[in-house]
Every structure is written in structure tokens, then in C-alpha cells.
Amino acid sequence: MEAVAALSLLCCTIPLIILLYLLLFKPKHYNLPPSPPSWPLIGSIPAILGSDKPLHLTLTDLAKTHGPLMLVTLGTAPTVVASTRDAAMEVLKSHDKSLSGRHIRMSFRIKEMNKHSLVWSNCTDTWKLLRRLARTEIFSPKMLQNQEPVRERKVGELVEFLREKEGKVLMISEFVFGTLLNILGNVIFSKDVFGYGEKNEIGMQSLIKELLVIGASPNVAEFYPVLEPLDLQGLRRRCADRVSRVNKLWESTVKERRISRSGDPKDMLDVLLDNGFDDVQINVLFLETFGPGSETSSATIEWAIAELIRNPDKLAKVRQELDQVVGPTSQVKESHIPQLPYLQACMKETMRLHPAAPFLLPHRAVETCQVMGYTIPKDYQLLVNAYAIQRDPNSWKEPSKFMPERFLESEADYNGNYFDFIPFGSGRRICIGMPLATRTIPLIVSSLVHNFSWSLPDGKRPEELAMNEMLSLSLAIDPSLTIIPKVRIPHA
Ligand code: HEM
């Protein structure tokens, strides 16, 4: 009797469980993009872990088998990856609005922050206001021009510091990162935040670096979103701690400016105060300028120097152009950059081969939509594989080679209209810092090339320089570049 009852219970509950599963988890009638083999609960993790390569290379390889739009389920988290120019155009142009949401990284899900975030929020009215302020005021041509002498001064300080280190082995990214923080500090609130030497250091560099490292650490909740509230690895808690410590570093600056604000806006803080932003909003926006602005630019500069060292003939061409346009004993100014086409081609070629954000920032479908004949259900995460696109042999001749010349005759620019080349993204979420980055990065690289010749430690030859990639929040060279400066231009 009991057996019969148990059997009937089982017969009733199994279909119920299947029905619930299909209703809750299985999108019906969806023609989802092709996927590598996927199993319940683990998804395509074996296909990803089976490769010993970093994620951007594994996904580039998988796309060769599964196509330009592929579905990769990591644990239980479905992610659609777009890996060709046409797929990127569909995601970032044709379906820009539907796919413009953000998938917030689990470690950055700090309530107070995300509410006011520019980077992680959907395209809300506040986000639109912030983008407008960024375009028309904070990074407007007028503001950038007004701040030009400060940026040149900050790069001059870097050059002076490096002169004193002539003949020493240096990890160049450390000082470039500090210089970028100072440039950003002056864009944000007209102050330096990094000192070349321990006694001048206020701790901003280490806090920002720690925050980026913690944020980039693998978080099990990315694979099993249901675990997110538990913060099992304590990553969100540690991020929140660094955020509150870094906020304290500019607390008094904001307070003083609230009392003494007057005249035309001269930096980001003035613009935010003029538009009625409160302290919490200001903290979030400062952090979202220091964070994405420093790490991406620093990685790009390091790659550019590494490529030029590895390619002495290209380095010689950059030097020759600088000697002609700037003069052999003068310092580079931002106003020289438009007259330096070969340098600009080197910058583009660096960002093509080594995009600092190889998947852009993660997008999210805000509504279900059809892309290239496949369905992308609401809330699915989307990655645009800029790394694969910018090395696609269908678009680029000898795609793995550093050939700046290819950009001399090309129309390709950073503006997101040329879908083979999207280091800053495209569409409504295109990088807001692009006008600043495209001034600062060539200024720093050209100043380093013009003022110094560089050699590698231990007598290593240029062709022996390893160009291994490491993907954390940005795509970085691994190990960090160490070089020895030799002064070319005596004191100006
Ligand atoms: C080499 C330098 C840089 C690169 C390669 C870069 C790249 C990117 C990319 C790929 C995106 C995402 C686009 C998308 O999701 O479709 C982005 C977004 C963003 N970037 Fe940059 N970036 C750089 C420098 C900067 C700088 C200097 C700042 C600030 C001063 C900045 C601030 C931001 C912000 C706030 C966003 C989020 C925009 C939004 O979601 O609406 N970036 N950047």
C-alpha cells in the first residue's frame, strides 16, 4: 500500500518539478545562439577550463567553431559572446538600445554605489545627465584645453623623475600609473594624488590598485548568481572597505570646495557641485573616473613601449618624426600630437593588438531581442570580443604583427564608427574618457620616447622581450615591463 502511495506521489511530483524547471529556467521556443557542450549546473565550464589559455583567447578559439554569436553558460550564468565585426555592429548599433544594460560584476555590487553609478547603471535619466555633463563640460574640448598645461606639467614631472633614475632597472608602469592618477586628480579636483617618493604618497595608488585587483579576482557568484547575497569569498566586503577608505582621501577637498566654490567651473568637482550632486554621488563618480581612467591607460602605455622596444625600426621612425616636429631638444606638447601621424598610427596599432578592455565592459539585455537570427533573452549578459575582432584575419592583413603603417592610409578612428576597431567600444555606452585618453596616452608615450632611449635588463635583446598577456580587469603585459632609461635630451 505504502509503495503504491509513494509511487503515485512520485508520478505527481516529477512532472511538477519538470514543469517548474521548464517554466522558470528553460526559455521556451528560443532559438539561442550555438554553444559549446553544456551540462546542467556546470554549463560550459569544462570547455573553458579545458584550455590553459586566458579567457579572451579561449573564447576567441571557441568562436572559430561555434560562430560569431555564441552562447557560453558559465555555471548557471548565460553569456552571449559577439566575436566578429558584424556581430559587434548588431550588438552595439542595430540593437544598441535593447542591449545597453550593464551586467554588474558581483564584487562591485555595493548598493550605495550602483544606485549612482555611471559605469554600472542602466541607461537611466541620471546616467543620461552624467553622460551629457561628461561630453559638454567635464571632457569638453574647452575644459580639456584649459587643463592642457597641467597635463604637460605632470608628464614633465615624470620625465624629471626618470632622469634621476638613469641606468636603474624600473618597472615603468608604477610611475606611469602614478602620473595618470595625478592627471586624473587634476581633472577631478585640481590636485595631485601621487607623490614620487614615500613621504609624498597619500596611499591613493595602492588603494585603487587593491580595489582593481579584488574586483578582478574570480568570484564564484559570477558562475552561480544565486550565491551572490552570501559573498562567500568576502570580495564584495573587501571592495566596500577599499571604497570607503579611498573616499576619505578626498572628503576634506569636497567639503572645502562646497564652502568656497566660485567662478567658472575649472574641474569635474565644480561641474558636479553646480549641478547639485550630493557627497555620495560625487564619491561614486570620482572613483569611476580614477578606476577605469588609470588602469586602462597605464596598460596601453606599457604595451606601446613594449611594442616599440621590440620593433626598433618603428621606434626609430617615431623618434625621427619627433625630432622633426618637436625639435631634438624641446619637450613634446599636446598641440604637437595632431602633427605626429606615425606616433598616432603606433597608438592605434597598440590598441588594436592589445585592447585594454578586450571584452569592452559587460553589457546586459534589457529586453528580449533577435540578433543574427538568434534570440537573446532579457537579462542575458553580453560580451563583445574586441580582441578577436581586432585580430580577425578577414579584416586585418597579418593580424598578429605590429604594423602601424596600416593605419596611415586608413580612415579607422577611435569613434566607434569603424566596427573592426573598437578599443573604446561604440554606441551609447562608448567610453566617456576617450577624449582625455587620446590626448594623455600619446603625450606620455612620445615624451618617454623623445627623452630617453630604453634597454632591457640583463642584456636582453629587443626580440627576446616576452609579450605574454594577463587578463585581470584590463589586459596587461605579463610580467610587467622592466626597462633601463638612458637620457637622450639634457635638461630643457
Ligand atoms: C586606453 C584608455 C581607455 C580605454 C581603452 C577605455 C575603454 C573603455 C571601454 C571599452 C568601455 C566600455 C564600452 C562599452 O561597454 O561598450 C569604457 C567605458 C567607460 N570608460 Fe573608458 N577607456 C579608457 C580610458 C578611460 C578614461 C581615461 C576614463 C575617465 C577619465 C574612462 C571612463 C570610462 C567610463 C566612466 C566608462 C563607462 C561608460 C558607460 O558605461 O556609460 N575610460 N571604456
Side-chain angles (χ1 to χ4, degrees), residues 5 18 48 89 127 132 141 183 246 266 323 356 463 474 488:
I18 293 174
I48 305 289
M89 205 152 130
W127 173 87
R132 184 169 59 72
I183 288 177
V246 84
K266 66 174 189 306
D323 284 347
E463 63 276 18
S474 295
R488 281 186 77 233

Side-chain angles (χ1 to χ4, degrees), residues 1-106:
M1 238 357 234
E2 266 179 30
V4 174
L7 198 64
S8 7
L9 190 67
L10 215 60
C11 289
C12 293
T13 49
I14 286 179
L16 199 66
I17 290 171
I18 293 174
L19 189 69
L20 271 175
Y21 175 79
L22 287 174
L23 281 175
L24 292 176
F25 301 111
K26 197 87 184 165
K28 270 201 278 181
H29 312 305
Y30 283 166
N31 177 25
L32 295 171
S35 157
S38 182
W39 287 271
L41 283 180
I42 54 171
S44 309
I45 288 181
I48 305 289
L49 293 187
S51 146
D52 54 359
K53 297 177 180 172
L55 187 64
H56 61 290
L57 295 179
T58 307
L59 292 185
T60 301
D61 286 349
L62 285 173
K64 287 178 192 151
T65 311
H66 302 286
L69 205 65
M70 103 186 139
L71 174 68
V72 181
T73 306
L74 299 172
T76 59
T79 299
V80 173
V81 188
S83 307
T84 61
R85 80 180 292 278
D86 291 347
M89 205 152 130
E90 287 279 311
V91 170
L92 301 172
K93 189 174 177 189
S94 312
H95 299 283
D96 187 22
K97 191 167 179 213
S98 309
L99 304 177
S100 65
R102 278 281 186 236
H103 168 83
I104 312 176
R105 283 183 86 99
M106 297 292 177

Side-chain angles (χ1 to χ4, degrees), residues 56 172-173 176 295-311 346-347 349-358 387 391 402 441 445 448 465-471 474-481 483:
H56 61 290
I172 189 71
S173 62
V176 165
E295 163 108 340
T296 46
S297 305
S298 171
T300 304
I301 292 168
E302 207 179 353
W303 280 117
I305 300 289
E307 285 291 6
L308 289 173
I309 289 179
R310 259 180 75 91
N311 293 278
C346 288
M347 296 295 95
E349 182 67 341
T350 301
M351 290 195 220
R352 180 188 70 81
L353 276 174
H354 312 287
Y387 183 93
R391 287 175 179 239
F402 184 74
I441 295 173
V445 172
L448 294 178
L465 176 60
M467 302 290 273
N468 300 329
E469 297 164 339
M470 187 185 66
L471 181 61
S474 295
L475 187 64
I477 186 167
D478 182 35
S480 273
L481 183 65
I483 43 181

Side-chain angles (χ1 to χ4, degrees), residues 158 161-162 168-180 194 196 205 209 298 301-303 305-306 309 444 448 452 454 477 480-485:
L158 170 68
F161 173 79
L162 294 177
K168 300 221 164 72
V169 178
L170 298 177
M171 195 180 282
I172 189 71
S173 62
E174 205 177 303
F175 307 108
V176 165
F177 193 85
T179 304
L180 287 162
F194 169 79
Y196 298 94
Q205 181 170 13
K209 284 229 159 187
S298 171
I301 292 168
E302 207 179 353
W303 280 117
I305 300 289
I309 289 179
I444 296 182
L448 294 178
F452 304 97
W454 301 97
I477 186 167
S480 273
L481 183 65
T482 47
I483 43 181
I484 304 168

Side-chain angles (χ1 to χ4, degrees), residues 92 100-102 118-121 123 127 131 139 180 184 187-188 285 288-301 351 354-363 384 386 422-438 440-441:
L92 301 172
S100 65
R102 278 281 186 236
L118 169 57
V119 176
W120 300 114
S121 73
C123 300
W127 173 87
R131 297 257 343 172
F139 301 117
L180 287 162
L184 290 167
V187 165
I188 294 171
L285 295 168
E288 292 191 343
T289 308
F290 275 123
S294 53
E295 163 108 340
T296 46
S297 305
S298 171
T300 304
I301 292 168
M351 290 195 220
H354 312 287
F359 297 123
L360 311 184
L361 282 174
H363 284 230
V384 175
I422 45 168
F424 292 98
S426 175
R428 66 189 66 205
R429 303 245 37 165
I430 194 169
C431 174
I432 57 154
M434 185 172 64
L436 178 68
T438 51
T440 310
I441 295 173

